[in-house]
Every structure is written in structure tokens, then in C-alpha cells.
Amino acid sequence: MSSLAELREGYERFDPCAYLRNNYLPPRADFSSEEFVVPWKLRCLADTFASGEIRGQTLIDVGSGPTIYQLLSACDHFEEIVATDYLAVNREELGRWVRGDPGAFDWSPFIQHVCKIEGRGEPWQDKERRLRDRLRRILPIDVHRPDPLGAPLDPPADALLSAFCLEAVSPDRAAFARALLHVGSLLRPGGHALLLGALGESFYLAGPARLPVVPLALADVRAALAGAGLALRELRSYEMPPALRTGVDDVHGVFFAHAQKPPQGH
Ligand code: SAM
């Protein structure tokens, strides 16, 4: 088992480009079928936002890393998207994409796919522009602090999203549950929390970094949500097919959870 200090040291070697290559290029980012993991994740988010129930002023994404795919369906429903990450290298990578700098990762196949599954006939460039316009803040965060941003979010977020972060930065299940409690404090009463994450994973690679992950079962996700006072609305899971077990991690599957903070007075 790793300690928080060992985890922090490991993240100093995190290479955003290697991480993007390992997870967001083929074979994992193959849009020809929803049997592949990336289209599965995008489908969960598109379906959930399609209800129109999850909307408001601000959505905060916790542990964004160097990625924006998780914000593509969300960005139509919020005035502002706040991205966050512990590492400056990841915040810089996001900034490059927002500014459209040469050398930024090419998310256009993801944007095109999301426009297709959302089925509104929207030109993908419009969605790209909207997300760039709305992604105005990219903040440092540490989910192990009771105040993860160093100050309360004012006003608190109408929705919270976090993809593959909490289990990848926590030495054990108790730390995972505490981290969820900490980030849950950024959410207003009645707000929605959406979590994507790894099941049964013990490590992943990002260039020279080999990061330990707390292996979770669906029961751990349920227990942590309940412990953070978040009422589960939906829980889906995906089993990683053998063709996608490429050696960049030992993930067994993926979960998607939609939960809600009870409204004030409940
Ligand atoms: N959300 C992205 C995705 O879906 O691919 C990235 C997930 S990556 C597996 C985990 C992220 O957690 C990294 O970007 C890392 O920098 C970030 N991280 C590491 N320590 C953290 C901490 N203490 N608090 C918040 N985020 C942290």
C-alpha cells in the first residue's frame, strides 16, 4: 500500500502526453463501436445530460487532468465550467487546448462523436467553441484537503463531475471516501454529482510515472457516496474487453455513478 507522500512523489513524474496516448488514442478511443471504452464513457454522460435535469450556473470538474472529453455533453447545460487539477503540467495542457495553441491534443474526433450521439445535428465546431468559451477557470486542487480549492467555491457548484481521479490519488478506500466527502462540499444542496472511475485497478502508467490506484468494487462506490451524503440515482458498469487490456494499467472495468446531494432541509 502507498502513502499520500508516495503518491504525490509519483505524480511529479506524470507525463500528460503519455497519459493521453495511453487512454485517448486507439485502441481505447475507437469510435466505431460502443463496445470500446471511450464511446461507453461518452454515452453515459450524453444520456445523463440529455434529461435536461442537470443544469445551472457552474459545473466543477475535479481532477480534470489533461482531458476535456468529460465536459462535452456537460457544457451545453452550464454557463461556466471550472476545470481543476493538482498538477500544473495538466492545467497548462488544458490551457493550450482552450487557446487552440498548436501542439494541443486533438479532441475533434471526440467532439464529432458526442455531436453524433447527442443527435441534434449540431456542427461539432459549435460545441468546441462553446466549451472553449465556458471553460474560463482552470484551478489547482487537492482532494485530500477538506477545502480542496483552498477556499470555498462561491457560490457552490450546481454540479460536480470527476473522472478517474479519486481512486487514482487515494492510498486506500478510506482515503477515497474522505476525498469524495471533501469534493462533495463544493456542491450546493440539491446539486448533482457524476463520477466515472476505474474498477479493480491497482496501477496505471503515465510515461515514467507508475501510479498506484485503490482497487474499487461497485460496493465501495456505493458506500463512499452514501458516506458523503450523496443519494445514488444511477450506477452503470463496463467490463474492459481483453483487446483493451494493453498493459498501460490493470483496470478491470469502469463505473459511472449519478448521485444527488439532498436539497436543504431534507
Ligand atoms: N480526469 C482525467 C481523465 O478522465 O482521464 C484525468 C484522470 S488521471 C487518472 C488522475 C488525475 O488526478 C491526474 O490529472 C492528476 O494530476 C490528478 N491528481 C493527482 N493528485 C491529486 C490530488 N491530490 N487532488 C486532485 N487531483 C489530483
Side-chain angles (χ1 to χ4, degrees):
M1 194 190 295
S2 54
S3 67
L4 264 188
E6 283 163 345
L7 267 158
R8 289 193 205 285
E9 207 186 301
Y11 274 103
E12 282 169 25
R13 289 187 291 278
F14 184 97
D15 174 355
C17 294
Y19 178 74
L20 288 166
R21 199 166 49 241
N22 292 348
N23 294 288
Y24 300 106
L25 287 176
R28 290 189 172 182
D30 180 332
F31 298 99
S32 62
S33 154
E34 291 195 3
E35 314 260 298
F36 296 106
V37 62
V38 165
W40 184 85
K41 296 193 248 182
L42 295 173
R43 164 64 67 187
C44 290
L45 293 164
D47 285 354
T48 304
F49 283 104
S51 73
E53 190 192 352
I54 308 179
R55 60 192 149 82
Q57 172 65 33
T58 311
L59 174 139
I60 185 163
D61 179 36
V62 168
S64 308
T67 74
I68 58 94
Y69 73 90
Q70 68 276 23
L71 305 172
L72 291 168
S73 288
C75 74
D76 299 344
H77 305 274
F78 295 87
E79 298 300 314
E80 190 191 6
I81 305 285
V82 180
T84 66
D85 202 74
Y86 180 70
L87 292 180
V89 283
N90 284 334
R91 300 195 300 271
E92 285 156 13
E93 182 67 35
L94 287 179
R96 273 194 284 281
W97 180 79
V98 171
R99 292 189 302 271
D101 287 358
F105 189 76
D106 179 13
W107 292 104
S108 60
F110 292 67
I111 309 174
Q112 286 161 26
H113 182 76
V114 171
C115 286
K116 188 172 116 195
I117 64 176
E118 287 180 349
R120 296 195 303 266
E122 181 183 33
W124 69 269
Q125 294 89 343
D126 289 2
K127 189 185 272 290
E128 180 181 69
R129 200 171 309 115
R130 187 175 318 110
L131 179 53
R132 284 186 165 138
D133 285 350
R134 295 185 173 180
L135 190 44
R136 291 189 286 271
R137 285 190 281 174
I138 303 174
L139 304 178
I141 192 164
D142 183 353
V143 300
H144 299 304
R145 297 168 49 146
D147 59 341
L149 297 173
L153 196 61
D154 187 23
D158 299 296
L160 171 85
L161 177 61
S162 189
F164 301 89
C165 173
L166 304 182
E167 69 281 9
V169 306
S170 299
D172 51 35
R173 283 179 295 186
F176 170 80
R178 271 197 307 278
L180 184 59
L181 189 66
H182 298 159
V183 300
S185 69
L186 302 169
L187 186 62
R188 70 160 168 81
H192 294 263
L194 303 177
L195 289 184
L196 273 165
L199 292 170
E201 185 177 38
S202 74
F203 79 93
Y204 76 100
L205 304 177
R210 186 184 195 277
L211 290 317
V213 180
V214 55
L216 295 179
L218 286 175
D220 300 319
V221 179
R222 279 201 190 89
L225 286 166
L230 298 167
L232 187 60
R233 298 266 309 257
E234 192 192 0
L235 187 58
R236 297 188 196 181
S237 63
Y238 168 91
E239 195 181 316
M240 194 60 89
L244 300 190
R245 300 191 186 207
T246 55
V248 299
D249 54 40
D250 63 349
V251 69
H252 284 62
V254 177
F255 70 87
F256 170 73
H258 170 196
Q260 193 174 5
K261 197 181 242 197
Q264 221 138 31
H266 284 246

